[in-house]
Amino acid sequence: MRPLRLSLTTLATVAALTAVTACAEKSDAGGDGAIRVTATDTSCEVSKKEFPAGHLQLAVENKGSKVTEVYVLFPDDRIVTERENIGAGTKANITAEIKAGDYEIACKPGMKGKGIRQQVKATGGGKTAKRDPKLDAAVAAYRQYTLEQAEETLPKAKVFAEAVKSGDIEAAKKAYADSRIGWERTEPVAESFGDIDPKVDLREDGLEEGQDLEKDWTGWHRLEKALWQDKKITPRDKELADLLISDLTVWQKKVGTAEITPTSMANGAKELLDEVAAGKVTGEEERYSHTDLVDFKANVEGAEKSYTLLKPVASKNDAELTAELDTQFAALNTLLDKYRADKTSYVFTSYDKVGEPERKELSDAVNALAEPLSKLAAAVVK
């Protein structure tokens, strides 16, 4: 779940990540045809409100004082593409494929709320440019991967939910992290639906102003708090276990309808690294269970899956980039293996046992991968 309220530790991590990205993305990035998005704490200005369907280039500049996010949204709030963690005073580029139709571009200062929105329109025949058949194969394979992850997640989540409903705290703890792996691998696809992610993966500090803690906070992390901090299971928690399965069943049914393109796969891989930087490295995601490294590994696996499927085309267009990505994925996986019981298990060191120097080492490895990964979308559409 993307963090909606940032601690000083998170801000430091995000600042490091966006600084690296900003260095790589020049002020004229995106070219003359790019739509320029200027975000501040109170506005979201776009240079064009009508543009041809096809390959969309956004050149974003955050002139505000807060970290921001920029989204391209369908009218029903499904996500076409997004870029999170754009630091104050930095720039970012977004490459996407977009069909003809009406959309909104949203800036979210402080990374929360519905954002400041501009209505835009993509014109044309409703089809994106013809693409390499290898990219169509990559999309088909990734769609199958997301379906498999959803199908594998549901029975694991049911084991977790049944343990909660039976009042077995230790069994629920044991099942908790495993139930989240498939979700974490494919989280950008789940987030694209808009409403499912906050129902199942919201953290307590992600509640919006006016929301009620008891009524509106649902999902895994509410139950995580009950198990590890409260150390008891209430009747409400048992209700939430059933609700979690209901919401995940909706997710499983929707996954096959997700809008997936080569650029959304590439951007999703970058989003997964942002998730790691802003939640897992800081220890904020799994603040009660300290199972952050399980989520961390799953996020990296999901990002690497997208990259591997796109690599045949990306390597042809930018061999230097894919060589760097190969190196950085290998380095990060090797580092993660230091905290793993063995290379086939998902038993990781409890994150509260990982010291600050080791956390910085992990953060540096994430940043080293995130910078070239931010260029993958552009490489697949060259």
Side-chain angles (χ1 to χ4, degrees):
M1 174 67 189
R2 64 175 62 91
L4 297 179
R5 187 174 300 163
L6 305 178
S7 71
L8 292 177
T9 305
T10 304
L11 286 170
T13 303
V14 169
L17 179 58
T18 51
V20 170
T21 304
C23 289
E25 296 174 341
K26 307 297 184 184
S27 60
D28 61 350
D32 292 338
I35 298 171
R36 303 196 177 275
V37 180
T38 304
T40 72
D41 296 345
T42 58
S43 66
C44 184
E45 298 299 328
V46 298
S47 61
K48 299 177 185 177
K49 293 190 177 181
E50 191 167 302
F51 44 82
H55 290 145
L56 173 68
Q57 299 282 340
L58 297 182
V60 181
E61 182 172 8
N62 182 5
K63 292 187 174 181
S65 63
K66 302 175 182 178
V67 176
T68 197
E69 301 171 335
V70 172
Y71 292 76
V72 180
L73 301 167
F74 290 103
D76 60 2
D77 268 9
R78 285 178 299 126
I79 298 171
V80 179
T81 190
E82 65 178 303
R83 178 63 58 86
E84 301 175 9
N85 302 327
I86 304 172
T90 67
K91 301 173 183 178
N93 298 320
I94 304 172
T95 302
E97 294 170 70
I98 191 166
K99 296 179 181 179
D102 295 321
Y103 299 89
E104 289 184 330
I105 293 176
C107 306
K108 293 189 179 183
M111 297 172 62
K112 63 185 303 181
K114 292 183 66 65
I116 304 162
R117 303 189 177 201
Q118 294 281 2
Q119 293 185 345
V120 297
K121 186 180 186 69
T123 60
K127 295 183 179 180
T128 55
K130 186 177 180 180
R131 64 193 182 204
D132 190 320
K134 291 179 181 178
L135 292 177
D136 289 325
V139 168
Y142 186 69
R143 187 180 299 281
Q144 182 61 33
Y145 174 72
T146 62
L147 285 166
E148 290 170 354
Q149 294 306 307
E151 289 168 359
E152 290 174 11
T153 295
L154 199 56
K156 293 178 179 180
K158 287 179 178 178
V159 170
F160 170 66
E162 287 303 316
V164 172
K165 289 164 62 179
S166 68
D168 191 335
I169 292 178
E170 292 307 312
K173 284 182 175 181
K174 186 176 180 180
Y176 172 75
D178 194 45
S179 75
R180 291 175 48 74
I181 292 171
W183 173 272
E184 291 291 337
R185 284 173 176 157
T186 59
E187 194 166 1
V189 173
E191 287 181 347
S192 72
F193 297 117
D195 59 339
I196 297 174
D197 180 73
K199 289 180 179 179
V200 306
D201 202 27
L202 187 69
R203 301 203 308 251
E204 182 176 3
D205 53 2
L207 290 167
E208 300 288 345
E209 186 176 350
Q211 286 189 304
D212 179 80
L213 183 64
E214 182 64 22
K215 176 183 176 183
D216 298 315
W217 188 24
T218 61
W220 271 301
H221 293 304
R222 172 65 186 86
L223 295 170
E224 178 202 6
K225 181 175 183 289
L227 295 170
W228 273 273
Q229 180 168 294
D230 301 340
K231 296 180 171 49
K232 62 181 181 180
I233 295 173
T234 67
R236 173 60 174 162
D237 295 328
K238 294 179 181 182
E239 292 174 0
L240 291 175
D242 276 332
L243 183 59
L244 175 65
I245 299 306
S246 176
D247 290 334
L248 288 175
T249 300
V250 172
W251 164 58
Q252 181 195 34
K253 291 177 179 177
K254 283 189 172 185
V255 162
T257 69
E259 293 278 343
I260 298 174
T261 66
T263 53
S264 75
M265 289 169 59
N267 290 329
K270 174 60 167 59
E271 290 163 30
L272 285 169
L273 264 291
D274 288 348
E275 290 276 349
V276 172
K280 281 69 174 185
V281 168
T282 63
E284 294 183 66
E285 179 80 3
E286 306 289 357
R287 61 191 65 175
Y288 310 110
S289 65
H290 305 299
T291 56
D292 303 88
L293 288 173
V294 178
D295 292 358
F296 192 139
K297 180 62 176 177
N299 283 161
V300 173
E301 285 179 338
E304 191 166 15
K305 180 67 174 182
S306 291
Y307 164 61
T308 300
L309 291 172
L310 295 170
K311 184 179 174 180
V313 172
S315 61
K316 181 176 66 176
N317 294 336
D318 193 337
E320 185 176 344
L321 175 65
T322 55
E324 176 69 7
L325 286 169
D326 286 343
T327 297
Q328 297 302 339
F329 266 117
L332 182 53
N333 281 316
T334 298
L335 185 56
L336 278 171
D337 283 343
K338 288 171 54 177
Y339 303 95
R340 199 174 187 181
D342 62 70
K343 290 186 178 181
T344 61
S345 79
Y346 265 81
V347 179
F348 283 85
T349 302
S350 180
Y351 203 57
D352 59 333
K353 307 299 183 186
V354 179
E356 287 303 322
E358 290 76 21
R359 292 188 184 200
K360 184 180 185 304
E361 185 181 28
L362 287 164
S363 178
D364 289 345
V366 170
N367 291 343
L369 173 58
E371 190 276 324
L373 198 57
S374 69
K375 301 174 184 177
L376 181 60
V380 300
V381 297
K382 278 186 177 179

